[in-house]
Amino acid sequence: MMKKYIVYAMVLLTFTHTSCNDNDEGVAPADIVNLTSEALPGAIQLNWEYSDTENQHIRYVEVRYFDPAKQQEVRKTASSFGDGILIDDLRLKYGEYKFKIQPFSTSFTPGAVHEIAATPQRAGVTESFTSRELTITADDIDIPGIYSGSKAASLFDSNNSTFVNFDYSVATATGVTRYYDIHYPKTQEFIKFSYINRDHQDAKFPAVIECYVKAMESDPWTLVTTLKQDEDELPTKPLGSFVSKEYRTPFPFNYFRFQVPTVHTGSDVKNFSFAEFRIYEVEYYFFDPEA
């Protein structure tokens, strides 16, 4: 009977282990020189140069400082391709911040530590607005000199084919400043409005808008702001639309005068024509980081 023999071969694998010299500290980074700071609103810009611009061997620069707002040490790194870093989210109320700046080489070898102290400017207040349209009717708006064929309700009907125009036929039309007087359904502290120009190539549109308010019907009008065609980008094309910014008034008001002393054609007859007009209720929010 033939016997089968299985032969196992043992193969010795030899691995070569290579290790770094424990005494090798790697390449040193270029040193930082000409360290300066610039105070900005709520921030400090740190800038520096390198002692060797040709062979920096910089991987990154580390900036360390204590943040009193967070009650903790903060570490930030600047790229080796730059020569500075912006440290933001700082507060003037905490006074002077002390920074430690240290370069690290491509072999992560630390360089010399440099220190600089700086105080930021006051952090800015963040403002925001929300608004919603206020519903008004023809009973809430007075349009002296309105053309008999126009209806004030056309300004609120969401139909750009209807419009409000002034009467061209009266002798006093030349030189007369035209306006809308609006009684608000609730007291406001900000003016915001929008409009759409009439869809007609010969219509006139505002080149200057004056905004007045008063609290009581018997009070005198107070000018709040004046808008101009170029500065405020008032539209001069048919169906051109405009939405104003929010304008704070010097006191709570109930009455708003929208007055147009100049039309875009320069005509002495200042009969501007709108297809739509809206007013808004404004809510104002602000965050003061220094408070």
Side-chain angles (χ1 to χ4, degrees):
M1 181 177 182
M2 184 179 295
K3 294 183 179 180
K4 295 182 180 179
Y5 295 91
I6 301 175
V7 179
Y8 294 90
M10 296 183 65
V11 180
L12 178 63
L13 300 179
T14 303
F15 295 91
T16 302
H17 176 68
T18 303
S19 63
C20 295
N21 189 331
D22 292 340
N23 295 324
D24 184 6
E25 294 182 354
V27 62
D31 196 17
I32 284 177
V33 296
N34 298 329
L35 177 61
T36 61
S37 66
E38 180 185 359
L40 301 171
I44 296 291
Q45 174 68 43
L46 299 175
N47 295 307
W48 54 77
E49 297 176 358
Y50 297 109
S51 59
D52 188 345
T53 57
E54 296 297 327
N55 300 290
Q56 296 178 9
H57 300 299
I58 300 288
R59 183 175 293 273
Y60 63 89
V61 175
E62 185 176 83
V63 178
R64 303 184 291 271
Y65 64 96
F66 179 74
D67 187 340
K70 300 176 182 177
Q71 286 296 300
Q72 65 181 28
E73 293 288 338
V74 178
R75 293 173 182 261
K76 294 190 175 183
T77 57
S79 168
S80 60
F81 299 103
D83 53 4
I85 187 173
L86 177 68
I87 308 297
D88 57 5
D89 200 23
L90 307 180
R91 303 289 182 266
L92 172 62
K93 66 182 179 181
Y94 295 123
E96 190 176 71
Y97 288 76
K98 296 180 180 180
F99 302 96
K100 293 182 179 180
I101 299 93
Q102 185 177 27
F104 286 78
S105 75
T106 51
S107 61
F108 298 98
T109 302
V113 177
H114 298 264
E115 297 186 7
I116 191 171
T119 302
Q121 296 178 14
R122 191 186 194 286
V125 173
T126 302
E127 296 183 310
S128 64
F129 299 89
T130 61
S131 59
R132 67 178 185 88
E133 182 183 331
L134 280 172
T135 301
I136 55 176
T137 68
D139 293 333
D140 301 315
I141 187 168
D142 181 25
I143 307 177
I146 189 172
Y147 175 60
S148 59
S150 292
K151 295 180 179 180
S154 296
L155 293 173
F156 324 118
D157 62 3
S158 299
N159 182 354
N160 290 344
S161 298
T162 61
F163 60 91
V164 165
N165 205 358
F166 293 89
D167 190 350
Y168 286 84
S169 64
V170 296
T172 56
T174 300
V176 171
T177 297
R178 299 301 194 182
Y179 58 86
Y180 299 161
D181 279 352
I182 302 169
H183 182 202
Y184 274 60
K186 57 191 302 187
T187 302
Q188 300 294 311
E189 295 184 4
F190 289 86
I191 294 171
K192 183 178 181 179
F193 60 88
S194 67
Y195 62 80
I196 299 175
N197 290 338
R198 178 187 174 187
D199 187 14
H200 194 287
Q201 62 180 5
D202 295 326
K204 300 178 179 67
F205 311 121
V208 175
I209 298 171
E210 295 172 341
C211 298
Y212 296 84
V213 297
K214 61 182 179 180
M216 304 294 292
E217 189 173 8
S218 58
D219 292 339
W221 290 104
T222 297
L223 178 65
V224 175
T225 189
T226 300
L227 285 66
K228 297 182 179 180
Q229 179 179 316
D230 294 334
E231 291 89 333
D232 299 287
E233 300 181 351
L234 303 181
T236 58
K237 301 292 185 182
L239 290 181
S241 62
F242 178 78
V243 180
S244 79
K245 296 187 294 186
E246 298 83 1
Y247 300 99
R248 182 189 289 274
T249 58
F251 50 81
F253 71 94
N254 295 290
Y255 295 87
F256 170 42
R257 172 167 287 184
F258 179 95
Q259 183 164 288
V260 178
T262 307
V263 291
H264 82 287
T265 62
S267 171
D268 286 338
V269 178
K270 303 163 185 179
N271 293 343
F272 65 94
S273 299
F274 285 162
E276 296 290 312
F277 189 84
R278 301 287 187 271
I279 59 171
Y280 299 87
E281 179 179 26
V282 176
E283 291 185 352
Y284 170 65
Y285 303 89
F286 73 95
F287 170 67
D288 184 357
E290 298 282 0

